[in-house]
Amino acid sequence: MEPSLPADLSAEDAKLVTLARAARARTRAAEGAAVRDTDGRTYAACTVQLDTVLLSALQLAVAMAVSSGVKGIEAAAVVTDHEPAAVDVEVVRYFGGAALPVVVADGNGEVRDVVHT
């Protein structure tokens, strides 16, 4: 069954949710995230939790974009079981600026909120 998406969610933002779900599912990580750069390319990642390193999925997705040489980020999505208010969007704000949308969805892909940096 396909997840229901809000009517005002663009196809490109829905794609971010799909990529974030896939990143999370591949490794059964706590979170999956995807970001879209200002050229329209996407980067997806999952939470990395090692003994000495903890990176949220969103931090890693932004790091992947930055390491690829992007100049900016225009949107992001996070798939998590946490409440939308618990999602730390600071890394997107730092690199992409204020008022960027971050779609927060649950593990089934149901969009729970769209928060802004």
Side-chain angles (χ1 to χ4, degrees):
M1 183 172 141
E2 286 294 313
S4 66
L5 299 170
D8 59 345
L9 191 67
S10 73
E12 289 301 310
D13 288 347
K15 176 182 172 184
L16 289 178
V17 172
T18 300
L19 291 170
R21 282 183 74 205
R24 181 182 188 220
R26 272 193 302 275
T27 61
R28 299 178 191 205
E31 293 181 343
V35 298
R36 184 174 57 250
D37 71 17
T38 52
D39 290 330
R41 294 174 296 193
T42 56
Y43 305 84
C46 64
T47 306
V48 172
Q49 186 169 359
L50 304 172
D51 291 339
T52 58
V53 176
L54 174 60
L55 293 170
S56 73
L58 195 52
Q59 289 171 331
L60 189 52
V62 169
M64 291 171 64
V66 171
S67 70
S68 295
V70 304
K71 302 296 183 215
I73 292 174
E74 65 181 25
V78 178
V79 172
T80 182
D81 293 328
H82 297 296
E83 290 299 315
V87 174
D88 184 3
V89 298
E90 187 61 32
V91 68
V92 176
R93 180 182 299 114
Y94 179 79
F95 189 69
L100 295 178
V102 179
V103 178
V104 181
D106 66 17
N108 294 321
E110 297 287 332
V111 175
R112 297 166 52 199
D113 199 1
V114 177
V115 297
H116 290 83
T117 60

